[in-house]
Amino acid sequence: MLVPGYGGGSLADLPDALLAALGVRAPDPDTATSSGAGPPLVLEPADRVCLFLVDGLGAESLKAHAETAPFLSGLAGRTLTAGFPATTVTSLCSLGTGLTPGEHGMLGLTLAVPGTGHLFNCLRWTLPDGLTMDPELWQPAPTVYQRATRAGLDAVYVGPAEFEGTGLTKAVYRGVRYVAADTVDDRVARVHESMRQGAAHVTVYYGDLDAAGHMTGWGSQEWLRQLAIVDDMAQRLVAGLPPGSALYVTADHGMVNATEKIDAESVPELTQGVALLGGEARARHVYAEPGAGQDVLEAWRETLRGKAWVVSRREAVESGWFGPRVREAWLGRIGDVVAVPYTDLAIIAPSRHRVEAMFTGYHGSMTAAEQHVPLLQART
Ligand SMILES: [Zn+2]
């Protein structure tokens, strides 16, 4: 089990390190994650930084296909751990706040809203029955973009037009100047333009590698085609950066290709006593009916023996999966039972998540393939 290296070696440690490279000190030592186990993450000073965030680019999959990404493979760097679960909403929030999942509360893709009996989809920002969720209530911590702006830096995010103004964007990217750009050409151009105009902190996002990995698996023809696009994009980003800039390339998580699927909605042992099935295929939050927690834990543990780590909420918290501590207010968002496959198993729920159930590639767990993401560096 690869418990994320919070406190120096995880994505949550990157935002403070990027701000420090720009001369902006970490704010409140109480909320800084550097109080964790490892040495703090230190990056060389730069006049401007560009963070190229490639959705789904695991360090292991990059290494396995280095010949398709010769530019990235030639860059200096190291690996970081994504955080738990290894999923986009959680990692984007860690990158947006510099906090561990246990501190920021974005603890998975679909989470129970305690006391309501509802599941909240943190990616699509949707609740049933037309209910809505205030992004600042769900994720109240200040963002690194707000801190950068307060320090007098222009912080820019270059990403798809469809994500501008969404609930997730408001929760994790508050305070950033969002620049919508949909093609690779346009994104590269907007990054260079922003930096020429003085932006010191620019993030640019690319999502299609992850999408290809989900649909056809990492290592597939389409995934390799996307990897080549990412490699070319990185090279073009570096080529146009003003002198004194640093480009960092990282990812929100890696991926595994599923070789087995268990339908958690049709196996009686997995439905008995379960009120809500949250999380996602490789990091399930299982919310039990009142008084059924222990029975659900035992049934899931028995059914998934040899395939998944199955623990109680308390065990997950005490084992540091979400970080050194979990805010009291977020405890109810964690399942009574947390089930995390370590084989290439996907725990699917086809009636609620039809498309996800048909995927080839998945992520969320604490295997190296999902946790290890690159942190590569190029300087101008
Ligand atoms: Zn994904």
Side-chain angles (χ1 to χ4, degrees), residues 143-162:
T143 70
V144 290
Y145 315 104
Q146 291 172 312
R147 277 162 49 201
T149 306
R150 265 205 305 280
L153 303 180
D154 185 17
V156 170
Y157 186 90
V158 181
E162 64 171 321

Side-chain angles (χ1 to χ4, degrees), residues 61 97 148 157 202 266 324 344 349 352 360 379:
S61 61
T97 60
Y157 186 90
V202 178
S266 70
D344 293 339
R352 292 190 62 97
T360 301
R379 302 181 75 88

Side-chain angles (χ1 to χ4, degrees), residues 55 88 210 214 253 255 363:
D55 203 317
T88 299
D210 183 65
H214 282 304
H253 55 75
M255 189 169 277
H363 50 81

Side-chain angles (χ1 to χ4, degrees), residues 8 13 56 76 82 92 101 107 133 146 151 168 170 286 323:
D13 302 298
L92 259 49
L107 299 169
M133 177 65 75
Q146 291 172 312
L168 177 63
K170 286 178 184 162
V286 189

Side-chain angles (χ1 to χ4, degrees), residues 39-57:
L41 178 62
V42 178
L43 305 176
E44 287 172 58
D47 297 337
R48 294 167 210 81
V49 296
C50 174
L51 180 65
F52 181 21
L53 174 58
V54 184
D55 203 317
L57 179 63

